[in-house]
Amino acid sequence: ARPRVELLAGDAAAALALSEVYALEARARGAFGAERWVLSLVGMARLLGGDSEQGRRDLDRVAELWPEEGYGGLFRSDRDRALGWSAMEQSGAADAQALLLRGAELAAQRGAYALEAMLRHDVVRFGDAAAVVDRLAELAGMMQGRLATARADHAVGIVAADPGRLAAAVDVFEAAGSPLLAAEAALDLADVGVPGA
């Protein structure tokens, strides 16, 4: 869980330090189920930190160990998210969004709503808030915690060009310890501008 928290915070180095050793240990022991999950986090940390080449290698191995069909499991959403990030880096937003939306649908089917929200919010981050805004708003009403509301505010703020909703998202992301998400929402706020300014 700690690498996930560091990814949320935007600290690629900490996420990598907390996950890489476990991925290597799992591989050495032949624990491929554990390896593929932790390696998903390692790959995302590398991509976030700018190491695209090694991140791609890690995530290619995740895809090999964890094909699209036939494997579910508690940590499937990390696999889908990681491969979405890899697609964004390699082939662009459309491919990334398709992978993330498929992963979100699978998470929804098993009732993993917090993970679904995380995947759908990545779709917002990759440029298609309109595709997920309604579901993120619905999820915010179903779950506890301000993070779900901030994700919905981010999407609604973009789609409705609502600076108030975007400012609220920035504030909550900052309070939650995620300067990366706060900065992304702040950039979207700057794009929307302030009425009358």
Side-chain angles (χ1 to χ4, degrees):
R2 289 180 62 200
R4 273 185 179 168
V5 170
E6 296 300 347
L7 287 170
L8 176 65
D11 191 336
L16 184 60
L18 288 165
S19 57
E20 184 176 31
V21 67
Y22 296 109
L24 293 171
E25 181 181 337
R27 180 180 299 183
R29 292 177 182 232
F32 300 120
E35 180 195 351
R36 67 189 188 194
W37 169 54
V38 180
L39 198 57
S40 296
L41 303 174
V42 170
M44 283 191 285
R46 289 195 202 284
L47 291 179
L48 185 61
D51 186 353
S52 299
E53 183 178 343
Q54 185 60 48
R56 271 196 309 273
R57 278 198 295 268
D58 290 339
L59 296 177
D60 286 347
R61 180 163 173 82
V62 169
E64 177 186 324
L65 291 172
W66 209 339
E68 170 62 29
E69 300 302 330
Y71 292 96
L74 180 62
F75 303 113
R76 171 62 190 253
S77 296
D78 289 313
R79 174 246 188 231
D80 294 336
R81 189 173 191 222
L83 296 183
W85 284 26
S86 181
M88 181 68 182
E89 194 273 332
Q90 291 184 63
S91 55
D95 288 344
Q97 290 160 0
L99 282 166
L100 292 164
L101 288 170
R102 173 72 178 134
E105 291 165 11
L106 292 171
Q109 288 170 13
R110 65 179 201 274
Y113 299 124
L115 299 175
E116 178 192 355
M118 184 171 57
L119 287 154
R120 291 190 189 279
H121 188 241
D122 278 351
V123 174
V124 174
R125 297 171 70 198
F126 293 162
D128 195 2
V132 296
V133 64
D134 292 338
R135 181 60 177 164
L136 281 173
E138 183 180 3
L139 288 167
M142 295 167 50
M143 297 189 306
Q144 295 178 340
R146 297 176 64 204
L147 194 55
T149 302
R151 286 179 166 136
D153 282 341
H154 191 186
V156 171
I158 292 169
V159 172
D162 183 337
R165 296 291 289 268
L166 285 166
V170 170
D171 290 344
V172 173
F173 288 142
E174 284 180 347
S178 183
L180 174 63
L181 294 181
E184 290 175 0
L187 287 172
D188 292 324
L189 177 58
D191 288 343
V192 167
V194 179

